Amino acid sequence: MKAFKFGGASVKSADGVKNMVSIINDHRDHKLVVIVSAIDKTTNLLEIIFEKQYTGFDYSNDLSLLEESHKNIGRQLGVKEATIIIDQTIEELTIALSQKYVNYAEEYDQIISFGELLSTGIIFTYLQLQVPEFLYVDARDIIKTDSNFRDAQVDWSLTQSKIEGTLIPILKNNHILTQGFIASDNSGKTTTLGREGSDFTGAILASSLGADSLTVWKDVPGILSGDPKMINNAIKFDDISYEEAAELTYYGAKVIHPKTIKPLANSGIPLFVKPFMYPKDTGTIIHNIHVYKPYPSIIFKENQTLISFRVEDFTFINEHNLNRILHTFTELNIRINLMQNSAISFSVCIDTDDVKLQELIGMLENHFSIFYNNGLQLITIKNYDQQSLDQMSAKREILLEQRSRHNFQIVVRNQTN
């Protein structure tokens, strides 16, 4: 059995969906579990709709754009049933937008999840005509989590039970199409696994089913040593270790979701990253190997905020103060990308989130003087050499720098600002 995950760029058009089905047809002699993301840019549009609804602004034009863009793909595929599915899903979204929710994060998940529901609705109507042995399974029925909305934690035991009870019987005679990114808690409310979490869904299903492999189909030739839009001499890795891949994703490499590696590594399941436009190409394989001479990898993480906590009574940034700060980060579920302390200050770099930032300041401003800068960029060089150090440091305003034996990180003002 093989697990395939297709990202939003893979299915952003009717031609993309047809290419996806062509890839599936080439592998239909294996049992397949296919995971699909929201169509390219849909999640961004849903975030705009959600923010406008949440703040009381009119979102009707955005909702119409969402509906029409999906219907256009359905029309180009020549599947009349797609329009019916889209109408039903948009109606459900409209109802969801009118509901009252406990908090921002809960409402976010209920709304943003409709991207995956729309994409799989369209794709399934077309896929069944081409490969009729495919069946549709709602990911929320099999991936079970806690109620930590926007970054839900998987209940592995319950999820395993759901997968064994639902998917394994289906796979005896059929293939499966389902969504990435979305899940549900014990009360049945929709949760999400974190932005770009469809890769992680693929890993959950592959590891729980004991798949031969997971293949993530991307709009890149494989895993590269840097973003080719920003690095002229980026190279493709033919294969890398689980450990190397895990570190690259931790530091912000976008090609794979950070949570994807662990369940696959624990089960010894190889992960292929392959270009969906050139499916015969080798791509990159992530598996259990040891890299003796790793090549420098450069990772850019945009939309960063640098926060400094400063004590004013000369008590120093001691263990007590660190515990207070880090406990608050844990309580607010804020991930720290980089941290550094001096005698009287503690600085962290995090993904920009204005809502959580204000919550954080409110909880700690009575204990520290707090300063922050938005619109920053975090650059990480893994396995750096002098050439890569010089290349990334030149002509940049560096606000914070940190170096270890193998890794070099700087927080800089974004050059586009």
Side-chain angles (χ1 to χ4, degrees):
M1 194 278 290
K2 293 182 177 182
F4 285 174
K5 180 263 174 175
F6 291 89
S10 305
V11 294
K12 66 181 180 181
S13 65
D15 286 341
V17 174
K18 291 175 182 178
N19 182 59
M20 167 189 164
V21 174
S22 175
I23 292 171
I24 287 171
N25 267 316
D26 288 342
H27 296 270
R28 63 192 296 180
D29 53 333
H30 294 86
K31 291 300 178 185
L32 298 176
V33 174
V34 176
I35 301 102
V36 178
S37 300
I39 289 169
D40 195 37
K41 308 303 182 186
T42 296
T43 301
N44 294 338
L45 182 54
L46 279 165
E47 286 182 333
I48 291 171
I49 292 170
F50 164 69
E51 289 293 343
K52 287 184 177 180
Q53 186 277 337
Y54 193 81
T55 53
F57 287 90
D58 179 38
Y59 54 84
S60 57
N61 288 339
D62 302 289
L63 190 61
S64 296
L65 177 61
L66 177 74
E67 179 178 356
E68 183 56 31
S69 63
H70 284 79
K71 284 185 175 178
N72 186 49
I73 293 175
R75 285 192 291 266
Q76 291 178 12
L77 289 171
V79 184
K80 294 181 179 179
E81 292 82 357
T83 298
I84 299 173
I85 295 293
I86 293 167
D87 284 338
Q88 292 173 343
T89 307
I90 293 295
E91 182 179 354
E92 292 171 6
L93 171 58
T94 302
I95 294 171
L97 285 163
S98 68
Q99 301 297 309
K100 299 294 184 183
Y101 299 95
V102 173
N103 57 43
Y104 180 96
E106 179 187 340
E107 182 173 350
Y108 178 96
D109 278 5
Q110 310 318 301
I111 304 308
I112 302 305
S113 60
F114 277 89
E116 276 66 23
L117 298 176
L118 282 165
S119 66
T120 49
I122 296 169
I123 290 168
F124 183 64
T125 58
Y126 179 76
L127 182 58
Q128 260 208 325
L129 297 176
Q130 312 301 317
V131 191
E133 59 268 30
F134 260 90
L135 295 181
Y136 169 87
V137 175
D138 191 321
R140 295 171 296 181
D141 294 335
I142 52 174
I143 308 293
K144 307 301 291 185
T145 69
D146 63 12
S147 300
N148 183 32
F149 298 103
R150 297 190 69 184
D151 190 21
Q153 304 304 302
V154 175
D155 183 332
W156 286 95
S157 177
L158 183 55
T159 297
Q160 183 71 46
S161 175
K162 294 287 185 180
I163 288 172
E164 290 178 356
T166 302
L167 299 192
I168 290 178
I170 293 175
L171 286 168
K172 289 180 181 179
N173 299 302
N174 298 94
H175 307 300
I176 292 168
L177 176 76
T178 191
Q179 302 92 358
F181 178 57
I182 66 174
S184 69
D185 65 10
N186 287 333
S187 68
K189 290 180 180 177
T190 300
T191 59
T192 63
L193 303 176
R195 201 67 156 81
E196 311 293 342
S198 293
D199 295 342
F200 185 35
T201 301
I204 294 168
L205 296 179
S207 61
S208 297
L209 289 167
D212 298 323
S213 63
L214 168 64
T215 302
V216 175
W217 298 93
K218 294 278 188 177
D219 58 350
V220 292
I223 295 181
L224 306 176
S225 62
D227 186 341
K229 297 175 183 177
M230 306 179 77
I231 301 295
N232 293 327
N233 56 348
I235 66 166
K236 180 180 77 72
F237 298 113
D238 292 329
D239 60 351
I240 61 174
S241 67
Y242 291 123
E243 292 81 2
E244 190 79 2
E247 288 199 37
L248 288 174
T249 61
Y250 175 83
Y251 289 122
K254 295 180 180 179
V255 69
I256 296 292
H257 189 275
K259 294 182 181 179
T260 305
I261 304 300
K262 185 177 185 297
L264 298 176
N266 289 346
S267 302
I269 296 172
L271 169 60
F272 294 89
V273 180
K274 300 190 69 174
F276 66 84
M277 291 304 297
Y278 304 97
K280 301 299 183 183
D281 287 4
T282 56
T284 301
I285 177 173
I286 302 169
H287 56 157
N288 190 24
I289 61 164
H290 182 72
V291 179
Y292 290 96
K293 293 182 178 180
Y295 189 83
S297 296
I298 301 172
I299 304 127
F300 298 89
K301 200 167 177 61
E302 307 292 342
N303 300 318
Q304 297 295 289
T305 297
L306 181 63
I307 314 171
S308 294
F309 303 89
R310 186 181 181 93
V311 292
E312 300 294 350
D313 57 0
F314 301 100
T315 55
F316 303 120
I317 293 292
N318 54 25
E319 289 76 8
H320 174 74
N321 284 323
L322 285 174
N323 180 66
R324 186 192 300 275
I325 295 169
L326 294 176
H327 176 77
T328 307
F329 273 82
T330 301
E331 188 175 345
L332 294 176
N333 194 32
I334 300 175
R335 179 182 181 273
I336 297 174
N337 299 323
L338 175 65
M339 67 178 75
Q340 189 176 94
N341 69 282
S342 66
I344 59 172
S345 70
F346 178 66
S347 297
V348 297
C349 182
I350 64 170
D351 296 339
T352 297
D353 185 324
D354 292 334
V355 173
K356 287 191 175 182
L357 175 61
Q358 295 308 313
E359 288 182 295
L360 180 73
I361 292 173
M363 294 172 71
L364 292 173
E365 62 185 352
N366 291 334
H367 305 283
F368 306 94
S369 295
I370 303 174
F371 310 91
Y372 67 91
N373 297 93
N374 284 331
L376 306 180
Q377 183 184 58
L378 173 62
I379 303 175
T380 302
I381 310 175
K382 192 173 183 332
N383 307 312
Y384 64 84
D385 57 17
Q386 192 59 50
Q387 180 180 355
S388 59
L389 288 180
D390 294 341
Q391 180 184 6
M392 289 298 104
S393 300
K395 299 180 180 179
R396 285 186 166 90
E397 182 184 354
I398 299 174
L399 305 184
L400 187 149
E401 176 180 326
Q402 189 162 273
R403 186 188 308 209
S404 65
R405 183 176 300 176
H406 299 291
N407 302 320
F408 175 76
Q409 292 184 287
I410 50 175
V411 179
V412 302
R413 293 197 188 278
N414 198 317
Q415 292 181 319
T416 61
N417 287 350

